[in-house]
């Protein structure tokens, strides 16, 4: 029986239509607009969807790198995704997004068949208050993409939102999709980018910024993500250095019960 429930805004925003194997068409979503162009997290998830929906996929994603070569304009786009090499347990992917026959995004991904092995997490879960003890952050004046998330900032709000001088760029925040949506690789990829830019935590002025490259490492399988359901995740991000127009951001995404789900890094352009 077909469900009468409307599609979640995130699924609509990342929806693709297969034109032929490995070739898809899609469209930007105003619900996930950013200050300039669409939210980069949703774009990353859309490119990942092209891999996940490919008939030849092997296993599940373990890494994703997206290079934002040029601005994406509102409207239609096309994506190609194909495995450049398939091994016994890993598969390497090339992904490309075009608008008006121009390449604007390139990406690579690795999928793999995981095996049951010895496992250990060396990073400690941050010492934070439970999500239900943290007030939801008002985001009415934020770009549209942010309003699709329930964000509860513990530390490191942008200075324009909280004019308390920060000694560093560390952000700790509880986060999940709003309305609720069960976690999967697509939504996790987008949440890895759902931190306000580090420079806005350190400085009050909203200078032009843009992510140049984003990398995500997935430390969980689909079953682990399914068990999380729609419960809040903990995001932890910081910059290591701001230098001559570029800064980095590193981060982790944890489940509500302290399971490290993904680590991420990105390099960001800024202008003064």
């Amino acid at each position: 029986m077909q469900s009468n429930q409307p599609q979640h805004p995130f699924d609509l925003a990342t929806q693709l239509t297969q034109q032929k194997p490995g070739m898809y068409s899609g469209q930007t979503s105003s619900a996930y607009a950013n200050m300039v162009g669409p939210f980069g997290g949703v774009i990353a998830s859309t490119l990942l969807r092209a891999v996940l929906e490919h008939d030849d996929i092997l296993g599940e994603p373990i890494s994703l790198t997206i290079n934002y070569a040029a601005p994406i304009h509102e409207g239609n786009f096309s994506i190609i995704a194909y495995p450049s090499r398939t091994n016994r347990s890993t598969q390497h992917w090339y992904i490309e997004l075009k608008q008006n026959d121009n390449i604007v995004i390139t990406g690579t991904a690795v999928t793999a068949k995981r095996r049951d092995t010895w496992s250990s997490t060396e990073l400690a879960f941050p010492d934070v208050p439970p999500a239900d003890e943290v007030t939801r952050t008002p985001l009415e004046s934020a770009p549209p993409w942010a309003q699709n998330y329930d964000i509860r900032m513990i530390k490191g709000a942008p200075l324009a939102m909280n004019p308390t001088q920060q000694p560093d760029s560390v952000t700790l925040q509880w986060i999940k999709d709003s309305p609720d949506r069960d976690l999967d690789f697509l939504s996790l990829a987008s949440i890895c980018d759902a931190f306000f830019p580090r420079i806005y935590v350190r400085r009050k002025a909203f200078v032009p910024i843009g992510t140049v490259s984003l990398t995500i490492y997935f430390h969980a399988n689909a079953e682990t993500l399914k068990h999380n359901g729609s419960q809040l995740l903990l995001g932890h991000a910081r910059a290591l250095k701001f230098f001559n127009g570029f800064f980095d951001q590193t981060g982790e995404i944890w489940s509500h019960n302290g399971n490290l789900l993904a680590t991420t890094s990105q390099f960001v352009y800024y202008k003064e």
Side-chain angles (χ1 to χ4, degrees), residues 170-181:
V170 173
T171 289
L172 283 161
Q173 63 184 27
W174 290 104
I175 182 170
K176 66 176 179 176
D177 288 288
S178 181
D180 284 350
R181 180 186 183 278

Side-chain angles (χ1 to χ4, degrees), residues 72-132:
I72 296 178
H73 300 292
E74 184 178 348
N76 299 326
F77 55 77
S78 62
I79 292 177
I80 61 168
Y82 60 85
S84 51
R85 182 177 176 97
T86 301
N87 301 316
R88 187 169 62 178
S89 59
T90 62
Q91 191 172 47
H92 298 255
W93 292 82
Y94 178 76
I95 324 162
E96 190 176 271
L97 185 150
K98 285 185 175 182
Q99 277 190 318
N100 301 318
D101 293 325
N102 294 315
I103 297 173
V104 291
I105 306 287
T106 63
T108 58
V110 181
T111 60
K113 286 185 174 180
R114 290 184 180 269
R115 296 179 293 114
D116 288 333
T117 63
W118 175 86
S119 301
S120 175
T121 303
E122 295 196 359
L123 191 64
F125 184 69
D127 182 14
V128 295
D132 59 6

Side-chain angles (χ1 to χ4, degrees), residues 180-232:
D180 284 350
R181 180 186 183 278
D182 286 350
L183 188 66
D184 59 14
F185 286 111
L186 296 177
S187 55
L188 179 57
S190 186
I191 284 172
C192 281
D193 192 39
F195 297 96
F196 290 103
R198 300 299 85 207
I199 197 168
Y200 295 169
V201 178
R202 291 292 306 278
R203 307 185 69 186
K204 191 171 184 178
F206 281 112
V207 298
I209 64 98
T211 299
V212 177
S213 186
L214 166 70
T215 293
I216 299 166
Y217 297 116
F218 299 101
H219 301 295
N221 57 22
E223 192 65 25
T224 301
L225 302 185
K226 182 180 179 181
H227 285 158
N228 187 85
S230 61
Q231 297 185 80
L232 284 147

Side-chain angles (χ1 to χ4, degrees), residues 4-272:
N4 292 322
Q5 285 190 324
Q7 272 191 287
H8 193 280
F10 179 82
D11 294 302
L12 290 172
T14 59
Q15 185 172 280
L16 292 173
T17 301
Q18 187 181 79
Q19 303 300 327
K20 59 182 182 179
M23 295 188 68
Y24 309 86
S25 60
Q27 188 170 21
T28 59
S29 167
S30 59
Y32 286 87
N34 205 345
M35 290 182 289
V36 177
F39 169 47
V42 156
I43 293 301
S45 299
T46 305
L47 269 69
L48 180 59
R49 185 183 284 276
V51 172
L52 297 182
E53 293 189 355
H54 198 288
D55 292 340
D56 296 334
I57 187 170
L58 173 78
E60 297 177 341
I62 60 171
S63 73
L64 175 70
T65 294
I66 303 297
N67 301 306
Y68 300 86
I72 296 178
H73 300 292
E74 184 178 348
N76 299 326
F77 55 77
S78 62
I79 292 177
I80 61 168
Y82 60 85
S84 51
R85 182 177 176 97
T86 301
N87 301 316
R88 187 169 62 178
S89 59
T90 62
Q91 191 172 47
H92 298 255
W93 292 82
Y94 178 76
I95 324 162
E96 190 176 271
L97 185 150
K98 285 185 175 182
Q99 277 190 318
N100 301 318
D101 293 325
N102 294 315
I103 297 173
V104 291
I105 306 287
T106 63
T108 58
V110 181
T111 60
K113 286 185 174 180
R114 290 184 180 269
R115 296 179 293 114
D116 288 333
T117 63
W118 175 86
S119 301
S120 175
T121 303
E122 295 196 359
L123 191 64
F125 184 69
D127 182 14
V128 295
D132 59 6
E133 294 180 10
V134 182
T135 303
R136 184 168 178 170
T137 303
L139 296 170
E140 290 81 8
S141 60
W145 72 264
Q147 297 168 40
N148 289 280
Y149 290 102
D150 175 347
I151 297 177
R152 306 179 187 194
M153 290 191 182
I154 303 160
K155 176 183 178 181
L159 276 176
M161 297 170 62
N162 178 20
T164 302
Q165 195 66 38
Q166 300 277 1
D168 55 39
S169 63
V170 173
T171 289
L172 283 161
Q173 63 184 27
W174 290 104
I175 182 170
K176 66 176 179 176
D177 288 288
S178 181
D180 284 350
R181 180 186 183 278
D182 286 350
L183 188 66
D184 59 14
F185 286 111
L186 296 177
S187 55
L188 179 57
S190 186
I191 284 172
C192 281
D193 192 39
F195 297 96
F196 290 103
R198 300 299 85 207
I199 197 168
Y200 295 169
V201 178
R202 291 292 306 278
R203 307 185 69 186
K204 191 171 184 178
F206 281 112
V207 298
I209 64 98
T211 299
V212 177
S213 186
L214 166 70
T215 293
I216 299 166
Y217 297 116
F218 299 101
H219 301 295
N221 57 22
E223 192 65 25
T224 301
L225 302 185
K226 182 180 179 181
H227 285 158
N228 187 85
S230 61
Q231 297 185 80
L232 284 147
L233 307 174
L234 181 69
H236 183 199
R238 85 286 291 158
L240 302 182
K241 186 166 183 175
F242 303 83
F243 177 64
N244 287 1
F246 295 89
F247 67 87
D248 67 329
Q249 175 182 290
T250 61
E252 305 92 43
I253 304 296
W254 300 80
S255 69
H256 68 284
N257 58 354
N259 190 357
L260 183 61
L261 302 179
T263 51
T264 179
S265 62
Q266 60 179 270
F267 215 53
V268 184
Y269 159 84
Y270 66 93
K271 183 179 180 180
E272 294 190 321

